[in-house]
Amino acid sequence: LKHGQQRRQSSGAAMFFALTGTDTGDDEAPKDTIAHRFCAFAMKTLNEDMDPLFERFLPLFDQDRLELAQQGETHEQYAAYREYVATLEENVSNFALQEGYSPGDASNFLRELQQAVEEDKVRAEKQVEAFLMHMEQQRKQKMGDAPPLDEGEVQLMRKLFRPQTVDDLMQMLLHMTEYTAFSSLMRAKVQQQKFMRELERRKKELMMGEMGLAHRFISFAMKLLNDDLQEFYSRCLPIFDQEAADLQNHGHTHEQHAAFQEYTSMIEARLLEFCHQEGFGQDAQALFNELQRLLQKDQQHVAEHLQRVLADVERRKAELRSRAQDEGETEQPLVLICKPAALSDLMNSLIQQLEYQSFSASMRYRVEQGRLMKAIMADLAKPAGELPPPPGDLEVVDVEEECQSRPAIGTMSLTVPEGCEVGSQMSITGPDGQPLCVTVPGGLSPGMAFEVPCCGYSSGYSVRGDVPPATTSY
């Protein structure tokens, strides 16, 4: 480590990972070298294996900034650093033994480690050069007799396409052997521990305090909807794998409504379990009455808090107006106020999940999400040989010509018609004459407006509220 640290201070050469997929004319493929294995080993050592050591050192670095500024680092902290370095050296020795080096063969280990980094550097530099050469060829094919890129542009391209390198990782790892890096790391861990303890304290205060029942109910409902029902969601996904055109023409199916009935039954059963755990027995009405009382009290607290905020804002606005008049400014100050969130807002959001339209929209979203993930995983599973090399994908285009050839993208302003609810399907005609199917988003009611993106129209496009919604059936 000391040898490597000295070399880091005297060497400024950049070393590249090989850019896979670029043909350099060299049949030698990038391989897993001792440099790659050492970096992976060192990262695991620092991020996982040495956690117990760091936990033991935390009290030594629990020092506020004023004390650090006045008294500086302590002997105990430096002793911890020496133990940290000794532990690192022991782990590096173990890695060398695992790689087949004898205990007294440190010089050969470091020499072969450096050789692996240098070989990776040479191979990567060849591939970067090949990448730039192919890019220039594509540019000439597209733009004809265009002058070549100047040296400044070439250097910029090198920086833009430069990946993280073995040398980058080695420099970072060697930096962690310095006392300043170790001290900063330990002080950051101390602050992180304090932050997590404060979060736990506030969570306990919320869960067991005056409004504890409401917070526990919201936590229970969020866990139920987001975690506990995952198996049910997976089982019912094929039922909601329905194209938009089929949904518009035939509406919702009996199987989909049956899935919703099962969904509500499962929630009711779990709700009775929560009711029993909270001491209400099977009296769900008593639970809801108490929740309603707490929500009303919370709304009152939020309203009082908002009034205090508004009063403070008015005072600050008066100060700003007075300052603006003194400075000769005529524009009125603009102050934005965010209304605090109340428990009732979260509760209403959870209650909406018990409506069929919200359940259906959620399931259809999960179907689309599953399709997207399958497509991504299928692309990742393809053998490397089936993927086109980067130079073949590179295309130099005239930006102005390309922009002029693309259809304009704008927005349509839609108004929710009477009879439509959250999740309802609206059948409209776009500015290009093509039929569109739009889903009413959450939080809207009849008469409220929302916008959707559209192609082929560069400005706003309004649709009145008399657009009939798609037929919904069970």
mmCIF file of all heavy atoms in Angstrom, residues 122-162:
data_model
loop_
_atom_site.group_PDB
_atom_site.id
_atom_site.type_symbol
_atom_site.label_atom_id
_atom_site.label_comp_id
_atom_site.label_asym_id
_atom_site.label_seq_id
_atom_site.Cartn_x
_atom_site.Cartn_y
_atom_site.Cartn_z
ATOM 1 N N VAL A 122 -3.053 -0.063 -21.919
ATOM 2 C CA VAL A 122 -2.706 -0.151 -23.341
ATOM 3 C C VAL A 122 -3.899 -0.626 -24.156
ATOM 4 O O VAL A 122 -4.231 -0.054 -25.213
ATOM 5 C CB VAL A 122 -1.499 -1.089 -23.531
ATOM 6 C CG1 VAL A 122 -1.249 -1.346 -25.010
ATOM 7 C CG2 VAL A 122 -0.257 -0.503 -22.861
ATOM 8 N N ARG A 123 -4.559 -1.674 -23.695
ATOM 9 C CA ARG A 123 -5.710 -2.210 -24.432
ATOM 10 C C ARG A 123 -6.836 -1.175 -24.516
ATOM 11 O O ARG A 123 -7.471 -0.999 -25.566
ATOM 12 C CB ARG A 123 -6.210 -3.480 -23.741
ATOM 13 C CG ARG A 123 -7.402 -4.127 -24.458
ATOM 14 C CD ARG A 123 -7.736 -5.495 -23.877
ATOM 15 N NE ARG A 123 -7.987 -5.407 -22.452
ATOM 16 C CZ ARG A 123 -7.193 -5.924 -21.515
ATOM 17 N NH1 ARG A 123 -6.069 -6.535 -21.876
ATOM 18 N NH2 ARG A 123 -7.490 -5.840 -20.232
ATOM 19 N N ALA A 124 -7.070 -0.468 -23.419
ATOM 20 C CA ALA A 124 -8.144 0.521 -23.413
ATOM 21 C C ALA A 124 -7.824 1.694 -24.332
ATOM 22 O O ALA A 124 -8.702 2.193 -25.038
ATOM 23 C CB ALA A 124 -8.381 1.013 -21.984
ATOM 24 N N GLU A 125 -6.569 2.130 -24.353
ATOM 25 C CA GLU A 125 -6.196 3.246 -25.215
ATOM 26 C C GLU A 125 -6.384 2.882 -26.688
ATOM 27 O O GLU A 125 -6.813 3.702 -27.498
ATOM 28 C CB GLU A 125 -4.754 3.650 -24.944
ATOM 29 C CG GLU A 125 -4.572 4.408 -23.620
ATOM 30 C CD GLU A 125 -3.132 4.783 -23.372
ATOM 31 O OE1 GLU A 125 -2.243 4.198 -24.040
ATOM 32 O OE2 GLU A 125 -2.878 5.638 -22.511
ATOM 33 N N LYS A 126 -6.075 1.626 -27.040
ATOM 34 C CA LYS A 126 -6.293 1.185 -28.423
ATOM 35 C C LYS A 126 -7.771 1.252 -28.788
ATOM 36 O O LYS A 126 -8.144 1.692 -29.876
ATOM 37 C CB LYS A 126 -5.788 -0.245 -28.603
ATOM 38 C CG LYS A 126 -4.268 -0.387 -28.607
ATOM 39 C CD LYS A 126 -3.892 -1.845 -28.822
ATOM 40 C CE LYS A 126 -2.370 -2.028 -28.862
ATOM 41 N NZ LYS A 126 -2.018 -3.454 -29.058
ATOM 42 N N GLN A 127 -8.610 0.823 -27.869
ATOM 43 C CA GLN A 127 -10.039 0.795 -28.164
ATOM 44 C C GLN A 127 -10.631 2.195 -28.200
ATOM 45 O O GLN A 127 -11.557 2.466 -28.980
ATOM 46 C CB GLN A 127 -10.757 -0.089 -27.148
ATOM 47 C CG GLN A 127 -10.331 -1.549 -27.250
ATOM 48 C CD GLN A 127 -11.192 -2.481 -26.432
ATOM 49 O OE1 GLN A 127 -12.043 -2.045 -25.673
ATOM 50 N NE2 GLN A 127 -10.964 -3.762 -26.592
ATOM 51 N N VAL A 128 -10.135 3.108 -27.374
ATOM 52 C CA VAL A 128 -10.597 4.491 -27.445
ATOM 53 C C VAL A 128 -10.212 5.103 -28.780
ATOM 54 O O VAL A 128 -11.003 5.805 -29.419
ATOM 55 C CB VAL A 128 -10.027 5.319 -26.264
ATOM 56 C CG1 VAL A 128 -10.306 6.802 -26.466
ATOM 57 C CG2 VAL A 128 -10.630 4.850 -24.947
ATOM 58 N N GLU A 129 -8.997 4.835 -29.229
ATOM 59 C CA GLU A 129 -8.562 5.350 -30.530
ATOM 60 C C GLU A 129 -9.424 4.784 -31.649
ATOM 61 O O GLU A 129 -9.792 5.496 -32.592
ATOM 62 C CB GLU A 129 -7.085 5.009 -30.764
ATOM 63 C CG GLU A 129 -6.114 5.769 -29.884
ATOM 64 C CD GLU A 129 -6.161 7.265 -30.128
ATOM 65 O OE1 GLU A 129 -6.456 7.668 -31.272
ATOM 66 O OE2 GLU A 129 -5.919 8.029 -29.175
ATOM 67 N N ALA A 130 -9.742 3.481 -31.567
ATOM 68 C CA ALA A 130 -10.588 2.869 -32.590
ATOM 69 C C ALA A 130 -11.983 3.486 -32.581
ATOM 70 O O ALA A 130 -12.594 3.708 -33.629
ATOM 71 C CB ALA A 130 -10.674 1.361 -32.356
ATOM 72 N N PHE A 131 -12.485 3.773 -31.412
ATOM 73 C CA PHE A 131 -13.801 4.398 -31.299
ATOM 74 C C PHE A 131 -13.805 5.771 -31.973
ATOM 75 O O PHE A 131 -14.718 6.110 -32.739
ATOM 76 C CB PHE A 131 -14.182 4.521 -29.826
ATOM 77 C CG PHE A 131 -15.490 5.206 -29.598
ATOM 78 C CD1 PHE A 131 -16.680 4.528 -29.717
ATOM 79 C CD2 PHE A 131 -15.526 6.555 -29.252
ATOM 80 C CE1 PHE A 131 -17.884 5.166 -29.516
ATOM 81 C CE2 PHE A 131 -16.723 7.198 -29.046
ATOM 82 C CZ PHE A 131 -17.909 6.499 -29.173
ATOM 83 N N LEU A 132 -12.781 6.573 -31.706
ATOM 84 C CA LEU A 132 -12.700 7.897 -32.312
ATOM 85 C C LEU A 132 -12.535 7.793 -33.826
ATOM 86 O O LEU A 132 -13.078 8.607 -34.587
ATOM 87 C CB LEU A 132 -11.530 8.675 -31.708
ATOM 88 C CG LEU A 132 -11.677 9.050 -30.220
ATOM 89 C CD1 LEU A 132 -10.407 9.707 -29.717
ATOM 90 C CD2 LEU A 132 -12.879 9.947 -29.999
ATOM 91 N N MET A 133 -11.777 6.778 -34.300
ATOM 92 C CA MET A 133 -11.580 6.606 -35.737
ATOM 93 C C MET A 133 -12.898 6.257 -36.419
ATOM 94 O O MET A 133 -13.244 6.817 -37.465
ATOM 95 C CB MET A 133 -10.547 5.506 -35.989
ATOM 96 C CG MET A 133 -10.263 5.270 -37.474
ATOM 97 S SD MET A 133 -9.135 3.889 -37.732
ATOM 98 C CE MET A 133 -10.146 2.518 -37.162
ATOM 99 N N HIS A 134 -13.668 5.322 -35.838
ATOM 100 C CA HIS A 134 -14.966 4.964 -36.409
ATOM 101 C C HIS A 134 -15.918 6.150 -36.384
ATOM 102 O O HIS A 134 -16.712 6.345 -37.320
ATOM 103 C CB HIS A 134 -15.563 3.790 -35.645
ATOM 104 C CG HIS A 134 -14.969 2.469 -36.014
ATOM 105 N ND1 HIS A 134 -15.229 1.846 -37.212
ATOM 106 C CD2 HIS A 134 -14.129 1.646 -35.343
ATOM 107 C CE1 HIS A 134 -14.577 0.696 -37.273
ATOM 108 N NE2 HIS A 134 -13.894 0.546 -36.148
ATOM 109 N N MET A 135 -15.870 6.935 -35.332
ATOM 110 C CA MET A 135 -16.734 8.115 -35.252
ATOM 111 C C MET A 135 -16.400 9.098 -36.373
ATOM 112 O O MET A 135 -17.295 9.664 -37.013
ATOM 113 C CB MET A 135 -16.560 8.792 -33.895
ATOM 114 C CG MET A 135 -17.469 10.006 -33.695
ATOM 115 S SD MET A 135 -17.131 10.861 -32.155
ATOM 116 C CE MET A 135 -15.493 11.494 -32.530
ATOM 117 N N GLU A 136 -15.113 9.285 -36.652
ATOM 118 C CA GLU A 136 -14.704 10.184 -37.727
ATOM 119 C C GLU A 136 -15.133 9.646 -39.085
ATOM 120 O O GLU A 136 -15.565 10.403 -39.975
ATOM 121 C CB GLU A 136 -13.187 10.378 -37.677
ATOM 122 C CG GLU A 136 -12.648 11.353 -38.717
ATOM 123 C CD GLU A 136 -13.129 12.772 -38.489
ATOM 124 O OE1 GLU A 136 -13.576 13.090 -37.359
ATOM 125 O OE2 GLU A 136 -13.061 13.579 -39.446
ATOM 126 N N GLN A 137 -15.061 8.309 -39.268
ATOM 127 C CA GLN A 137 -15.516 7.722 -40.526
ATOM 128 C C GLN A 137 -17.010 7.938 -40.741
ATOM 129 O O GLN A 137 -17.452 8.293 -41.834
ATOM 130 C CB GLN A 137 -15.186 6.225 -40.547
ATOM 131 C CG GLN A 137 -13.698 5.918 -40.642
ATOM 132 C CD GLN A 137 -13.407 4.430 -40.527
ATOM 133 O OE1 GLN A 137 -14.312 3.626 -40.260
ATOM 134 N NE2 GLN A 137 -12.143 4.054 -40.730
ATOM 135 N N GLN A 138 -17.791 7.717 -39.712
ATOM 136 C CA GLN A 138 -19.231 7.944 -39.807
ATOM 137 C C GLN A 138 -19.528 9.412 -40.107
ATOM 138 O O GLN A 138 -20.431 9.736 -40.877
ATOM 139 C CB GLN A 138 -19.905 7.534 -38.495
ATOM 140 C CG GLN A 138 -19.901 6.046 -38.218
ATOM 141 C CD GLN A 138 -20.883 5.318 -39.116
ATOM 142 O OE1 GLN A 138 -21.928 5.847 -39.465
ATOM 143 N NE2 GLN A 138 -20.540 4.100 -39.491
ATOM 144 N N ARG A 139 -18.759 10.299 -39.496
ATOM 145 C CA ARG A 139 -18.959 11.731 -39.723
ATOM 146 C C ARG A 139 -18.679 12.097 -41.176
ATOM 147 O O ARG A 139 -19.419 12.880 -41.789
ATOM 148 C CB ARG A 139 -18.046 12.502 -38.776
ATOM 149 C CG ARG A 139 -18.129 14.015 -38.879
ATOM 150 C CD ARG A 139 -17.319 14.662 -37.761
ATOM 151 N NE ARG A 139 -17.218 16.094 -37.950
ATOM 152 C CZ ARG A 139 -16.282 16.711 -38.633
ATOM 153 N NH1 ARG A 139 -15.323 15.980 -39.212
ATOM 154 N NH2 ARG A 139 -16.267 18.023 -38.762
ATOM 155 N N LYS A 140 -17.614 11.546 -41.756
ATOM 156 C CA LYS A 140 -17.293 11.841 -43.142
ATOM 157 C C LYS A 140 -18.342 11.276 -44.091
ATOM 158 O O LYS A 140 -18.680 11.894 -45.100
ATOM 159 C CB LYS A 140 -15.910 11.290 -43.474
ATOM 160 C CG LYS A 140 -14.765 12.059 -42.818
ATOM 161 C CD LYS A 140 -13.413 11.488 -43.212
ATOM 162 C CE LYS A 140 -12.265 12.284 -42.582
ATOM 163 N NZ LYS A 140 -10.938 11.728 -42.949
ATOM 164 N N GLN A 141 -18.849 10.070 -43.791
ATOM 165 C CA GLN A 141 -19.879 9.482 -44.652
ATOM 166 C C GLN A 141 -21.144 10.325 -44.656
ATOM 167 O O GLN A 141 -21.831 10.440 -45.665
ATOM 168 C CB GLN A 141 -20.192 8.061 -44.177
ATOM 169 C CG GLN A 141 -19.066 7.071 -44.405
ATOM 170 C CD GLN A 141 -19.380 5.696 -43.845
ATOM 171 O OE1 GLN A 141 -20.487 5.466 -43.349
ATOM 172 N NE2 GLN A 141 -18.417 4.785 -43.918
ATOM 173 N N LYS A 142 -21.445 10.921 -43.526
ATOM 174 C CA LYS A 142 -22.679 11.687 -43.418
ATOM 175 C C LYS A 142 -22.519 13.105 -43.946
ATOM 176 O O LYS A 142 -23.418 13.645 -44.601
ATOM 177 C CB LYS A 142 -23.111 11.736 -41.943
ATOM 178 C CG LYS A 142 -24.434 12.452 -41.702
ATOM 179 C CD LYS A 142 -25.597 11.660 -42.270
ATOM 180 C CE LYS A 142 -26.925 12.350 -41.968
ATOM 181 N NZ LYS A 142 -28.064 11.600 -42.492
ATOM 182 N N MET A 143 -21.353 13.717 -43.705
ATOM 183 C CA MET A 143 -21.178 15.141 -43.998
ATOM 184 C C MET A 143 -20.243 15.407 -45.165
ATOM 185 O O MET A 143 -19.898 16.559 -45.438
ATOM 186 C CB MET A 143 -20.664 15.857 -42.742
ATOM 187 C CG MET A 143 -21.571 15.660 -41.538
ATOM 188 S SD MET A 143 -20.986 16.513 -40.047
ATOM 189 C CE MET A 143 -21.155 18.216 -40.563
ATOM 190 N N GLY A 144 -19.763 14.351 -45.844
ATOM 191 C CA GLY A 144 -18.931 14.543 -47.024
ATOM 192 C C GLY A 144 -17.540 15.040 -46.701
ATOM 193 O O GLY A 144 -16.848 14.493 -45.846
ATOM 194 N N ASP A 145 -17.140 16.109 -47.402
ATOM 195 C CA ASP A 145 -15.785 16.647 -47.257
ATOM 196 C C ASP A 145 -15.694 17.643 -46.107
ATOM 197 O O ASP A 145 -15.100 18.727 -46.235
ATOM 198 C CB ASP A 145 -15.339 17.320 -48.559
ATOM 199 C CG ASP A 145 -15.246 16.323 -49.704
ATOM 200 O OD1 ASP A 145 -14.981 15.140 -49.417
ATOM 201 O OD2 ASP A 145 -15.441 16.735 -50.857
ATOM 202 N N ALA A 146 -16.283 17.344 -44.990
ATOM 203 C CA ALA A 146 -16.209 18.236 -43.841
ATOM 204 C C ALA A 146 -14.802 18.204 -43.266
ATOM 205 O O ALA A 146 -14.124 17.166 -43.290
ATOM 206 C CB ALA A 146 -17.214 17.809 -42.771
ATOM 207 N N PRO A 147 -14.297 19.337 -42.790
ATOM 208 C CA PRO A 147 -12.947 19.345 -42.202
ATOM 209 C C PRO A 147 -12.900 18.469 -40.959
ATOM 210 O O PRO A 147 -13.903 18.306 -40.257
ATOM 211 C CB PRO A 147 -12.722 20.824 -41.856
ATOM 212 C CG PRO A 147 -14.099 21.398 -41.704
ATOM 213 C CD PRO A 147 -14.949 20.651 -42.696
ATOM 214 N N PRO A 148 -11.744 17.886 -40.680
ATOM 215 C CA PRO A 148 -11.639 17.027 -39.493
ATOM 216 C C PRO A 148 -11.766 17.838 -38.213
ATOM 217 O O PRO A 148 -11.611 19.060 -38.201
ATOM 218 C CB PRO A 148 -10.237 16.415 -39.631
ATOM 219 C CG PRO A 148 -9.478 17.401 -40.462
ATOM 220 C CD PRO A 148 -10.471 18.001 -41.411
ATOM 221 N N LEU A 149 -12.060 17.147 -37.149
ATOM 222 C CA LEU A 149 -12.156 17.799 -35.849
ATOM 223 C C LEU A 149 -10.795 18.334 -35.438
ATOM 224 O O LEU A 149 -9.761 17.694 -35.683
ATOM 225 C CB LEU A 149 -12.666 16.807 -34.801
ATOM 226 C CG LEU A 149 -14.072 16.232 -35.013
ATOM 227 C CD1 LEU A 149 -14.371 15.185 -33.932
ATOM 228 C CD2 LEU A 149 -15.132 17.316 -34.977
ATOM 229 N N ASP A 150 -10.800 19.513 -34.821
ATOM 230 C CA ASP A 150 -9.528 20.041 -34.354
ATOM 231 C C ASP A 150 -9.122 19.332 -33.064
ATOM 232 O O ASP A 150 -9.889 18.551 -32.481
ATOM 233 C CB ASP A 150 -9.604 21.558 -34.148
ATOM 234 C CG ASP A 150 -10.682 21.963 -33.149
ATOM 235 O OD1 ASP A 150 -10.880 21.241 -32.149
ATOM 236 O OD2 ASP A 150 -11.334 23.002 -33.366
ATOM 237 N N GLU A 151 -7.912 19.605 -32.613
ATOM 238 C CA GLU A 151 -7.364 18.889 -31.461
ATOM 239 C C GLU A 151 -8.195 19.135 -30.201
ATOM 240 O O GLU A 151 -8.385 18.232 -29.386
ATOM 241 C CB GLU A 151 -5.915 19.322 -31.236
ATOM 242 C CG GLU A 151 -5.212 18.555 -30.116
ATOM 243 C CD GLU A 151 -5.114 17.065 -30.399
ATOM 244 O OE1 GLU A 151 -5.132 16.695 -31.595
ATOM 245 O OE2 GLU A 151 -5.037 16.283 -29.428
ATOM 246 N N GLY A 152 -8.700 20.348 -30.054
ATOM 247 C CA GLY A 152 -9.525 20.648 -28.876
ATOM 248 C C GLY A 152 -10.790 19.820 -28.848
ATOM 249 O O GLY A 152 -11.197 19.315 -27.791
ATOM 250 N N GLU A 153 -11.420 19.645 -30.010
ATOM 251 C CA GLU A 153 -12.644 18.838 -30.086
ATOM 252 C C GLU A 153 -12.338 17.364 -29.822
ATOM 253 O O GLU A 153 -13.125 16.661 -29.178
ATOM 254 C CB GLU A 153 -13.297 19.020 -31.452
ATOM 255 C CG GLU A 153 -13.848 20.417 -31.679
ATOM 256 C CD GLU A 153 -14.363 20.606 -33.096
ATOM 257 O OE1 GLU A 153 -13.742 20.040 -34.039
ATOM 258 O OE2 GLU A 153 -15.364 21.314 -33.266
ATOM 259 N N VAL A 154 -11.206 16.897 -30.326
ATOM 260 C CA VAL A 154 -10.824 15.500 -30.084
ATOM 261 C C VAL A 154 -10.601 15.258 -28.597
ATOM 262 O O VAL A 154 -11.053 14.247 -28.031
ATOM 263 C CB VAL A 154 -9.558 15.152 -30.896
ATOM 264 C CG1 VAL A 154 -9.049 13.762 -30.504
ATOM 265 C CG2 VAL A 154 -9.854 15.206 -32.388
ATOM 266 N N GLN A 155 -9.901 16.189 -27.952
ATOM 267 C CA GLN A 155 -9.668 16.035 -26.515
ATOM 268 C C GLN A 155 -10.974 16.071 -25.743
ATOM 269 O O GLN A 155 -11.146 15.350 -24.745
ATOM 270 C CB GLN A 155 -8.716 17.143 -26.021
ATOM 271 C CG GLN A 155 -7.308 17.040 -26.579
ATOM 272 C CD GLN A 155 -6.658 15.702 -26.232
ATOM 273 O OE1 GLN A 155 -6.841 15.154 -25.143
ATOM 274 N NE2 GLN A 155 -5.876 15.170 -27.172
ATOM 275 N N LEU A 156 -11.908 16.904 -26.186
ATOM 276 C CA LEU A 156 -13.214 16.953 -25.532
ATOM 277 C C LEU A 156 -13.941 15.623 -25.678
ATOM 278 O O LEU A 156 -14.559 15.130 -24.723
ATOM 279 C CB LEU A 156 -14.047 18.083 -26.130
ATOM 280 C CG LEU A 156 -15.479 18.233 -25.591
ATOM 281 C CD1 LEU A 156 -15.464 18.504 -24.097
ATOM 282 C CD2 LEU A 156 -16.223 19.329 -26.341
ATOM 283 N N MET A 157 -13.861 15.016 -26.880
ATOM 284 C CA MET A 157 -14.499 13.724 -27.092
ATOM 285 C C MET A 157 -13.867 12.658 -26.211
ATOM 286 O O MET A 157 -14.547 11.770 -25.692
ATOM 287 C CB MET A 157 -14.388 13.328 -28.566
ATOM 288 C CG MET A 157 -15.124 14.254 -29.517
ATOM 289 S SD MET A 157 -16.900 14.303 -29.208
ATOM 290 C CE MET A 157 -17.350 12.645 -29.676
ATOM 291 N N ARG A 158 -12.560 12.730 -26.032
ATOM 292 C CA ARG A 158 -11.891 11.769 -25.144
ATOM 293 C C ARG A 158 -12.435 11.875 -23.721
ATOM 294 O O ARG A 158 -12.667 10.866 -23.050
ATOM 295 C CB ARG A 158 -10.388 12.035 -25.144
ATOM 296 C CG ARG A 158 -9.658 11.647 -26.416
ATOM 297 C CD ARG A 158 -8.168 11.940 -26.286
ATOM 298 N NE ARG A 158 -7.449 11.580 -27.487
ATOM 299 C CZ ARG A 158 -7.014 10.349 -27.757
ATOM 300 N NH1 ARG A 158 -7.227 9.378 -26.892
ATOM 301 N NH2 ARG A 158 -6.359 10.106 -28.878
ATOM 302 N N LYS A 159 -12.646 13.110 -23.261
ATOM 303 C CA LYS A 159 -13.145 13.295 -21.910
ATOM 304 C C LYS A 159 -14.585 12.833 -21.784
ATOM 305 O O LYS A 159 -14.986 12.233 -20.782
ATOM 306 C CB LYS A 159 -13.036 14.770 -21.505
ATOM 307 C CG LYS A 159 -11.602 15.263 -21.362
ATOM 308 C CD LYS A 159 -11.555 16.735 -20.971
ATOM 309 C CE LYS A 159 -10.124 17.218 -20.833
ATOM 310 N NZ LYS A 159 -10.060 18.662 -20.464
ATOM 311 N N LEU A 160 -15.385 13.100 -22.820
ATOM 312 C CA LEU A 160 -16.796 12.731 -22.757
ATOM 313 C C LEU A 160 -16.990 11.220 -22.742
ATOM 314 O O LEU A 160 -17.876 10.707 -22.051
ATOM 315 C CB LEU A 160 -17.547 13.338 -23.948
ATOM 316 C CG LEU A 160 -17.751 14.857 -23.931
ATOM 317 C CD1 LEU A 160 -18.402 15.320 -25.221
ATOM 318 C CD2 LEU A 160 -18.605 15.276 -22.733
ATOM 319 N N PHE A 161 -16.166 10.499 -23.524
ATOM 320 C CA PHE A 161 -16.337 9.053 -23.655
ATOM 321 C C PHE A 161 -15.385 8.263 -22.766
ATOM 322 O O PHE A 161 -15.281 7.048 -22.909
ATOM 323 C CB PHE A 161 -16.157 8.627 -25.123
ATOM 324 C CG PHE A 161 -17.279 9.077 -26.010
ATOM 325 C CD1 PHE A 161 -17.153 10.216 -26.775
ATOM 326 C CD2 PHE A 161 -18.470 8.373 -26.057
ATOM 327 C CE1 PHE A 161 -18.184 10.643 -27.584
ATOM 328 C CE2 PHE A 161 -19.513 8.785 -26.860
ATOM 329 C CZ PHE A 161 -19.376 9.931 -27.627
ATOM 330 N N ARG A 162 -14.709 8.954 -21.879
ATOM 331 C CA ARG A 162 -13.774 8.272 -20.985
ATOM 332 C C ARG A 162 -14.548 7.586 -19.856
ATOM 333 O O ARG A 162 -15.196 8.238 -19.045
ATOM 334 C CB ARG A 162 -12.780 9.263 -20.390
ATOM 335 C CG ARG A 162 -11.793 8.621 -19.421
ATOM 336 C CD ARG A 162 -10.918 9.692 -18.777
ATOM 337 N NE ARG A 162 -9.926 9.123 -17.885
ATOM 338 C CZ ARG A 162 -10.146 8.828 -16.612
ATOM 339 N NH1 ARG A 162 -11.338 9.025 -16.088
ATOM 340 N NH2 ARG A 162 -9.178 8.322 -15.871
#
